Amino acid sequence: MAASLNLENCMNIPDSFEGYSTKMFRIPKHYENYIDKVLMPAGMIQDRIAKLATDIFNDMMDQDEIHISAVCVLKGGYKFFSELLDSLNTLNTTSGRSVPISVDFIKVKSYVDTASTGEVQIVGMANLEESLKGRNVLIVEDMIDTGRTMQKLLKTMQKYQPKTLKVACLMRKRTPLSDGYAPDYVGFEIPDKFLIGYALDYNEYFRDLAHICTINQAGIEKFKSKS
Ligand code: IMP
Ligand code: MG
């Protein structure tokens, strides 16, 4: 068992929690035979994201020059990103304070030649220097598993000298393979299980599922990679 994050500001889904029966939720017909349990219902995810947005907003207000450059890590981060920004926009219009937000969308590619340097290729940002230099950058990612992807992404982004570089992550797995990396903002700390839904995929399936769920054996077989 990996060490828990043990953060006050992180919601813990314990290993003993198996999840809710799919019968309690609306599940698309094309997936109903392939889901084991609903681990995190969409409503609960939204409520937690609203609080993360408040934490991020309040922290940003402490900066002297406020402007968030929000960077969505595709594809898995898109639902989290969308809800988080909606929630920040609500704060911008209702709290009597506001922070301008710009958005970028990236994909991260680990490629063999740079593996030894621990860096990644960032795809989708036309001018990295212009987008990152001197900015308050907030990376928005779905999941920290081993932490390797994020550590490499941070190393690559640091080269472009952002003013601040923070990470908001919806979930962090308790895994013995963790390199110990802990993001600045974490929605949930979760059991070491493979999860689908809410933009997380299994071979590109299940992104169109509202809730975060576990997959059953039939699903693993049905949507196995053909190659
Ligand atoms: P890491 O480099 O091991 O931390 O892996 C992080 C990446 O793997 C995330 O950005 C996810 O896209 C993907 N990933 C890790 N665990 C899961 C999962 O349970 N379901 C879907 N994708 C996952
Ligand atoms: Mg991802």
Side-chain angles (χ1 to χ4, degrees), residues 6 47 52 59 113 137 139 144 158 166 168 187-188 207 218:
N6 208 10
D47 284 337
L52 286 180
D59 289 352
D113 286 342
V137 176
I139 303 174
I144 303 291
Q158 284 291 7
K166 292 195 172 180
F188 303 91
R207 293 196 199 274

Side-chain angles (χ1 to χ4, degrees), residues 106-171:
I106 62 166
K107 282 191 175 183
V108 172
K109 279 192 180 170
S110 297
Y111 53 107
V112 179
D113 286 342
T114 60
S116 57
T117 68
E119 293 194 21
V120 288
Q121 187 188 0
I122 298 171
V123 185
M125 253 182 171
N127 188 336
L128 281 166
E129 178 133 23
E130 199 180 301
S131 301
L132 300 174
K133 196 166 182 175
R135 299 283 185 89
N136 293 310
V137 176
L138 179 71
I139 303 174
V140 181
E141 167 70 307
D142 55 353
M143 173 89 77
I144 303 291
D145 188 354
T146 65
R148 267 184 231 124
T149 307
M150 189 50 69
Q151 296 269 39
K152 288 183 193 172
L153 180 59
L154 287 170
K155 189 173 175 188
T156 305
M157 283 199 164
Q158 284 291 7
K159 284 199 309 197
Y160 298 94
Q161 301 172 316
K163 186 175 171 209
T164 60
L165 183 57
K166 292 195 172 180
V167 176
C169 185
L170 186 61
M171 291 168 279

